[in-house]
Every structure is written in C-alpha cells, then in structure tokens.
Amino acid sequence: MENPEDSIFKEFIAENTSAIEAEEKEADLLIEHGFKINIGKREFHIKPLHFGTIAFANKYAVKLKVNLLSDDNSSVFKEMEKNIDPFMRFIAVSILHDYWKVKLFTGLLSKYLKWKLNPQIALKMSIAILQMYDIKNFITSIRIIGQMTITSPKETSLVDGKTPVSNLSTELQDLQ
C-alpha cells in the first residue's frame, strides 16, 4: 500500500510539471508566431522579432528608468511622465517590425498608443515582447559560437553541459 504523502507528492509534481510544460509551449508559440492585439478600433500583429527590431526596441527600453526614492510625493507622477514616451516607442517599434516603418512611423504610432493603451494592457504587451526576445537561445548560440573555432576544433556542449553538440569542422574532416 502506498503512503498517502507519496501520492500527494507525485500528484503535486505531475501538476507542476504539466504547468511548466504548458508555459514553455506557450512561450515557444509566442516566439514562433507572435500575437495579435486589439488597440482602439485597430488590430495589431506583433510578429516574431528579428535582431533589427530588437536593436531598435532596446534603444527605448534602455531609456526607461524609474527613480522612486525621492521624498516628494509627486515623484511617481514625474517618473511616469518621463517614461511614457520611451515605453510607447518600445511597443511601437515591436509592432512596426520593419526598418523603414520603424524609421518613419514610430513617433506617430507611439502617440496613438499613448492615447489608446491603458497601463495593464501595456504591461502585458511588454512582457510578451520581452519573452519574444528569446534571450535564452541567443545567449546559448553566442556561447557555442565562442567555443567553436575552425583552427582548433573541439567538442562543445550546450549550456547544461550534458548534451554534446558536434563540431562542423571535425565533421568536414571526417567526410574527406
């Protein structure tokens, strides 16, 4: 007969594992397909981000700085006023997703968003956009590239150190 505590623990693990797997699938879908959102009378599609879009969006994300350590009660409102424009530009760049569209229409779209978005929707959008950055895979690829060189081939492993990844230069030598 099984201990009731063991069955409760197994059930807890099963529920949490399935929740984590569902969250990972959701994040993968977000990265692969983007998402659509209705703002005002328009529907916008935020497509999967490319490095160019991320670079433009980062210009505005870096400008977001909140300092609430002042004794002045109006500091929250001052910080909000300073950060609304870069925040709306960050979202606008992610929506526009094209070099010339970003260059030409970021200001116009950010003004539209300023008058149509509420803070709750803007927060949800920014979290989704940041998930679409796919920083985990970007950092992993940079680490792998940093380990691989043509002149000194070696076996590399992924971030977890368990999964071996073959080296292209050694595979090419094997074919010859």
Side-chain angles (χ1 to χ4, degrees):
M1 185 162 190
E2 192 174 312
N3 185 353
E5 291 177 0
D6 288 342
S7 64
I8 292 171
F9 179 72
K10 287 179 182 178
E11 184 179 324
F12 172 78
I13 295 294
E15 287 175 8
N16 287 330
T17 303
S18 62
I20 291 170
E21 289 173 352
E23 190 174 324
E24 285 177 1
K25 286 179 185 177
E26 183 180 324
D28 288 341
L29 281 173
L30 189 62
I31 291 167
E32 291 174 14
H33 300 292
F35 65 96
K36 292 181 181 179
I37 187 160
N38 291 319
I39 301 171
K41 294 181 181 180
R42 298 178 178 247
E43 180 180 80
F44 293 99
H45 182 201
I46 298 183
K47 298 174 184 166
L49 302 178
H50 299 164
F51 286 125
T53 306
I54 292 170
F56 271 108
N58 278 341
K59 289 179 185 178
Y60 301 111
V62 170
K63 292 179 182 179
L64 295 169
K65 294 189 175 25
V66 178
N67 179 13
L68 301 177
L69 300 178
S70 171
D71 291 334
D72 184 10
N73 288 338
S74 65
S75 67
V76 172
F77 300 109
K78 288 178 184 175
E79 294 301 317
M80 185 183 288
E81 184 179 337
K82 286 192 306 189
N83 287 294
I84 288 175
D85 284 332
F87 190 34
M88 293 301 107
R89 287 178 179 267
F90 170 78
I91 294 172
V93 165
S94 300
I95 290 171
L96 293 170
H97 196 273
D98 177 75
Y99 179 81
W100 287 110
K101 288 179 184 177
V102 167
K103 285 285 194 182
L104 297 172
F105 302 115
T106 300
L108 187 64
L109 182 56
S110 68
K111 287 178 184 171
Y112 175 81
L113 294 173
K114 185 192 302 187
W115 291 100
K116 297 295 179 182
L117 280 180
N118 64 39
Q120 182 181 12
I121 302 279
L123 173 65
K124 289 178 182 178
M125 288 180 69
S126 62
I127 289 171
I129 291 166
L130 290 172
Q131 283 181 336
M132 291 172 67
Y133 270 39
D134 199 14
I135 292 172
K136 181 178 119 183
N137 284 331
F138 174 70
I139 290 174
T140 301
S141 64
I142 296 302
R143 286 182 179 162
I144 289 172
I145 291 169
Q147 291 177 357
M148 294 173 62
T149 61
I150 293 175
T151 57
S152 61
K154 60 183 176 181
E155 285 294 316
T156 60
S157 62
L158 293 178
V159 177
D160 63 3
K162 297 175 186 172
T163 311
V165 177
S166 63
N167 191 324
L168 183 59
S169 60
T170 56
E171 288 179 9
L172 290 175
Q173 288 175 354
D174 293 340
L175 291 175
Q176 294 175 353

